Amino acid sequence: MTIKATCIFLAVLMFTLPVLVSALETEKIIAQAKKDAENDVNGMGWMVVGCFFAYLGVGAAYLFVRNPPPSKLMGKPADYVFIYAHAYRRAVRSKQVTNALAGCLGILALGLGILLIINVGD
């Protein structure tokens, strides 16, 4: 019975181990892409766009997402490039939209504050 159980265990391990290793590698690639995207996005610039163009700026931040720099992908296998590029674009979009939305909401709060001060004075 123990030989049979050992064989089953080894068979399951043989099929699941590559999947686990692949998942760990994928997580590493995604983490690197997020880190690179965080460093590449001009957060203050998107905040200014959100301030001046309001919801149009937020829409632009969502729509205009750049691809990762080719230097980050040179010499990498196709699956690495696919995973990295997808994670990079998602992280860039997220950061751009968050910053543009912060700018949009900030200018809205400022405008409402000014209106409140003007109306209280009457």
Side-chain angles (χ1 to χ4, degrees):
M1 190 67 169
T2 57
I3 293 174
K4 193 177 198 181
T6 304
C7 288
I8 291 172
F9 173 75
L10 290 175
V12 169
L13 186 64
M14 185 174 71
F15 288 109
T16 58
L17 192 58
V19 173
L20 292 174
V21 169
S22 176
L24 291 173
E25 279 297 314
T26 300
E27 288 301 315
K28 242 171 86 174
I29 295 168
I30 291 172
Q32 184 63 46
K34 285 181 180 179
K35 179 181 162 200
D36 292 343
E38 194 71 27
N39 293 331
D40 293 346
V41 172
N42 181 358
M44 187 58 74
W46 283 105
M47 198 172 288
V48 169
V49 168
C51 281
F52 287 113
F53 298 105
Y55 61 89
L56 293 175
V58 176
Y62 183 82
L63 292 175
F64 299 116
V65 178
R66 64 181 199 208
N67 289 317
S71 62
K72 303 273 186 188
L73 304 174
M74 297 293 286
K76 304 289 186 189
D79 55 342
Y80 180 95
V81 170
F82 178 78
I83 293 167
Y84 182 92
H86 181 70
Y88 183 90
R89 283 191 296 270
R90 283 182 58 136
V92 165
R93 177 175 285 135
S94 174
K95 174 127 179 160
Q96 288 178 178
V97 169
T98 300
N99 287 329
L101 191 58
C104 181
L105 294 176
I107 202 71
L108 177 67
L110 180 66
L112 289 174
I114 291 171
L115 282 175
L116 187 64
I117 290 170
I118 291 172
N119 286 333
V120 168
D122 288 339

